[in-house]
Amino acid sequence: MVWRRIWFLCSLQFLITNSSWTEKLDHGSISGFPSYDEANKLLEQFLQQHPNELTKQQIGKSFESRPIYAYILGTRDGRQQHPPQVLLTALTHAREPAGLTVLIYFLGHLLDQFQQGDAQARYILEMREVWFVPFVNPDGYVANQGLRNKVIRKNRRPTCRSSKNGGVDLNRNFGVHWSSGFDGCNEEHGGKQPFSEPETQALKTICEDNSFKTAMNFHAYGSMLTHPYNWANTDLLPAEDKAVYKEIARVFGFKKFGTAIQTVGYTTTGESDDWMYSARHIISMSPEVGPESGGFWPPRSEIAGINSRNFDRTSYVVLKAGMELMVEGAYQRLEEFLQKGPRPPGLDDLVGGIPESLLQIRISNLGLSSSVGKVLHVGIQGVAVGTPGDGGLLLQDGKTQQLFAANGIISFQVGTIEKRSSRTVWIIPARSWQAGTLLTCVAEAASGSRVCHCSSSGREIYALPDSTISGSSKLCAAALGVQGFTTAEPIAEVPGVAQTRIPATTGFATTAPFFQIASGTTRLPFSLGQEKLMESSSLPGDLSQDTVSATWLLLALGITFVGMFLCLFMQSYVVPRAVARRAPTALDYERIPGLQVSRVEEDSDDLGFSPHA
């Protein structure tokens, strides 16, 4: 009887979950994808449900006078602080609907997580301003809806005798290395001049009116990540920006990564990424979402997986626009440290005598914006697990500061950390302190924000301050001074001991960043006197005591996996089609003699436009 009830409730939960808004992304009327009207209705639903977090702004009109909208995500208080901005676009090419569903899924899932109190979602909405443009090319998408063979890529400007082959490729119409070398019927026809099209004018305007730090222009398909300069035969990026793109690529995990010549084998001109990077210095990229097989319109059974797999990737790029925390710690012998500078005041007064070693902590910002506020609130666990009341010393910016452990946690403040730089502090522990696994939480001094970045040797998570439970939430409370956690004032100057700033280009930022899934982690508690750099260790998470809820969750997941297996087993086989993702230029034919690209065949469906309509 009990098992029947469990089965019924799990089945009900499964049905409720799959009847949510996510179902509209893979059960739409256009080969499983939502139609233009269906997608807009879902976006309107988000606006009505989240009026304080999501707004809509018309940024232009298409060639056929359809409105082009941007949806702006962020809390009202957060947007007033002018946080780092991010741009996400989709459907520049009208036959690539997976980009649309990836973008809408990211928006909807993030709003759901925010409503549920998720720390990372709350941080994004409070500390970022994200602009979504779901339909860069609405006319082309609507035109594809009426075709059996949905091959329209360009906008609907009549440039060719065949209405289906006419139009301007919007991703060849931007004003960097623009080319006029393609006729009006070619897939890569770039228009009469740069920014000749109203759709690209709309994107140009919002890029010039805002200060986007990162941008993702979603395309499909091929599981690759392209970035500037796509017009060049060689990699021309500065070393610093190249390092940023490599960090992003590690998180994405795509087999193909780089410029157009490195990924698809030929150069391209007038691309959005190249213009955004060159003209506005936006770290812009084009993820080709979706697997290698399945074509531009993959089977509906693959849509949900494409959407969910790209959520963490998109989150990382959004977070990268601001501060990205990484913490490294290493013990060194105190005697060697003292040989390099003066003796810190207060060292001889430590309870139990002078220790043998001190801990060097390097707090780094791998992001593209400085940390918010004049100070960062820092809490560290794993340095002081000893006798309460025994104080240690903190050395930073040429000063010493007394530290006292509260429940094994020490807290203090450091100054702003600029983008792609770091600060170094030294901790001299009391002899009674016993070192453990290092965990650090940092809170930016933003108005109204109470979310912490937490890092254990490079792996970043987010936490809310809650001193009633263990783990990162309690450490966040300590960093923010919740319930009695306080920061001591500096007590003495130490000449010669100053802050250290290390640019990321020195090779320091080599630890795998947040979201990268490793095959395993190793907890390495270190003892006083250890002199090698700490390796990645597991984070002590906030453990739930509700075992009943965990059991229900496991059962629901089991039912879901069984259902997914049955769906995959029963679906018909799909024969992959080889489709050209981009057409080569005349220059490409000269440089790559063996290049072969199939011509798009004329389809019997015609929309009735003439070149002079």
Side-chain angles (χ1 to χ4, degrees), residues 393-547:
L393 291 176
L394 174 73
L395 280 63
Q396 70 161 326
D397 295 335
K399 300 178 182 179
T400 59
Q401 172 184 333
Q402 286 188 329
L403 291 177
F404 294 95
N407 301 318
I409 296 173
I410 56 177
S411 60
F412 53 90
Q413 294 181 356
V414 299
T416 301
I417 304 181
E418 301 295 330
K419 65 178 183 179
R420 312 295 292 172
S421 68
S422 67
R423 282 181 175 269
T424 300
V425 300
W426 292 265
I427 296 175
I428 301 177
R431 288 189 76 88
S432 63
W433 289 2
Q434 300 173 4
T437 301
L438 189 71
L439 174 64
T440 304
C441 286
V442 172
E444 296 173 84
S447 176
S449 178
R450 306 285 284 177
V451 186
C452 293
H453 307 247
C454 297
S455 172
S456 179
S457 296
R459 192 173 187 274
E460 186 178 31
I461 62 172
Y462 292 83
L464 296 169
D466 184 354
S467 61
T468 62
I469 56 178
S470 62
S472 55
S473 292
K474 186 175 182 179
L475 187 55
C476 180
L480 289 166
V482 176
Q483 294 193 359
F485 289 102
T486 58
T487 303
E489 293 296 326
I491 57 174
E493 297 281 345
V494 185
V497 180
Q499 117 185 8
T500 303
R501 293 186 180 274
I502 304 177
T505 52
T506 61
F508 140 73
T510 57
T511 306
F514 171 47
F515 285 132
Q516 182 153 357
I517 301 174
S519 58
T521 56
T522 305
R523 182 181 294 274
L524 293 175
F526 53 91
S527 60
L528 293 176
Q530 181 181 4
E531 297 179 298
K532 65 179 181 178
L533 186 68
M534 294 184 306
E535 300 179 20
S536 297
S537 57
S538 302
L539 292 177
D542 301 334
L543 303 178
S544 172
Q545 303 297 322
D546 193 348
T547 57

Side-chain angles (χ1 to χ4, degrees), residues 357-374:
S357 302
L358 82 165
L359 175 63
Q360 176 181 308
I361 301 289
R362 182 160 50 181
I363 304 172
S364 303
N365 175 11
L366 304 186
L368 300 174
S369 298
S370 303
S371 60
V372 177
K374 295 182 178 180

Side-chain angles (χ1 to χ4, degrees), residues 88 102 215-218 223-226 244-257 285-289 309-318 320 513-517:
L88 307 177
V102 165
M216 300 177 73
N217 301 297
F218 289 105
S223 293
M224 67 182 75
L225 181 67
T226 61
V244 173
Y245 279 116
K246 285 183 178 180
E247 290 164 15
I248 294 170
R250 283 198 296 268
V251 173
F252 273 63
F254 288 156
K255 292 181 180 179
K256 295 181 180 180
F257 155 72
M285 66 212 75
S286 290
E288 298 275 358
V289 298
R309 285 194 299 273
N310 286 285
F311 180 82
D312 283 354
R313 293 166 177 158
T314 307
S315 298
Y316 180 74
V317 175
V318 170
K320 190 80 171 179
F514 171 47
F515 285 132
Q516 182 153 357
I517 301 174

Side-chain angles (χ1 to χ4, degrees), residues 251-312:
V251 173
F252 273 63
F254 288 156
K255 292 181 180 179
K256 295 181 180 180
F257 155 72
T259 62
I261 195 70
Q262 295 170 325
T263 54
V264 295
Y266 47 85
T267 59
T268 56
T269 56
E271 280 210 340
S272 58
D273 291 329
D274 289 358
W275 179 82
M276 289 179 185
Y277 177 79
S278 298
R280 306 296 299 172
H281 199 212
I282 302 169
I283 298 298
S284 181
M285 66 212 75
S286 290
E288 298 275 358
V289 298
E292 287 284 354
S293 62
F296 295 113
W297 299 81
R300 82 171 58 200
S301 59
E302 293 189 13
I303 298 173
I306 293 171
N307 296 339
S308 60
R309 285 194 299 273
N310 286 285
F311 180 82
D312 283 354

Side-chain angles (χ1 to χ4, degrees), residues 123-373:
Y123 178 82
I124 290 176
L125 268 71
E126 291 180 352
M127 302 291 287
R128 300 289 183 273
E129 182 177 288
V130 188
W131 287 57
F132 297 80
V133 183
F135 289 98
V136 174
N137 184 3
D139 300 344
Y141 193 69
V142 171
N144 271 325
Q145 293 177 181
L147 296 178
R148 183 183 72 254
N149 190 16
K150 306 179 189 306
V151 297
I152 291 177
R153 161 188 172 103
K154 300 182 286 184
N155 76 351
R156 300 312 301 147
R157 182 181 293 278
T159 62
C160 179
R161 191 176 298 276
S162 166
S163 62
K164 187 179 56 185
N165 291 335
V168 174
D169 182 349
L170 299 178
N171 206 33
R172 301 295 182 271
N173 189 237
F174 287 81
V176 169
H177 281 261
W178 175 83
S179 172
S180 60
F182 301 95
D183 63 46
C185 296
N186 191 289
E187 280 199 337
E188 286 195 274
H189 176 56
K192 292 184 177 180
Q193 61 186 19
F195 296 112
S196 62
E197 304 311 297
E199 296 90 348
T200 54
Q201 280 285 342
L203 291 183
K204 179 176 183 288
T205 299
I206 63 170
C207 286
E208 291 175 342
D209 290 346
N210 293 278
S211 299
F212 298 118
K213 296 295 184 181
T214 58
M216 300 177 73
N217 301 297
F218 289 105
H219 290 262
Y221 62 101
S223 293
M224 67 182 75
L225 181 67
T226 61
H227 66 69
Y229 291 105
N230 293 294
W231 56 264
N233 275 317
T234 57
D235 190 351
L236 303 177
L237 288 175
E240 176 66 12
D241 292 341
K242 190 183 300 184
V244 173
Y245 279 116
K246 285 183 178 180
E247 290 164 15
I248 294 170
R250 283 198 296 268
V251 173
F252 273 63
F254 288 156
K255 292 181 180 179
K256 295 181 180 180
F257 155 72
T259 62
I261 195 70
Q262 295 170 325
T263 54
V264 295
Y266 47 85
T267 59
T268 56
T269 56
E271 280 210 340
S272 58
D273 291 329
D274 289 358
W275 179 82
M276 289 179 185
Y277 177 79
S278 298
R280 306 296 299 172
H281 199 212
I282 302 169
I283 298 298
S284 181
M285 66 212 75
S286 290
E288 298 275 358
V289 298
E292 287 284 354
S293 62
F296 295 113
W297 299 81
R300 82 171 58 200
S301 59
E302 293 189 13
I303 298 173
I306 293 171
N307 296 339
S308 60
R309 285 194 299 273
N310 286 285
F311 180 82
D312 283 354
R313 293 166 177 158
T314 307
S315 298
Y316 180 74
V317 175
V318 170
L319 292 166
K320 190 80 171 179
M323 179 181 178
E324 179 188 353
L325 177 70
M326 189 177 79
V327 178
E328 293 175 301
Y331 274 98
Q332 66 179 107
R333 296 185 62 83
L334 181 59
E335 180 180 351
E336 296 175 359
F337 178 81
L338 294 177
Q339 290 175 357
K340 301 175 183 178
R343 195 176 188 83
L347 179 62
D348 297 317
D349 298 327
L350 289 176
V351 176
I354 301 173
E356 295 180 357
S357 302
L358 82 165
L359 175 63
Q360 176 181 308
I361 301 289
R362 182 160 50 181
I363 304 172
S364 303
N365 175 11
L366 304 186
L368 300 174
S369 298
S370 303
S371 60
V372 177

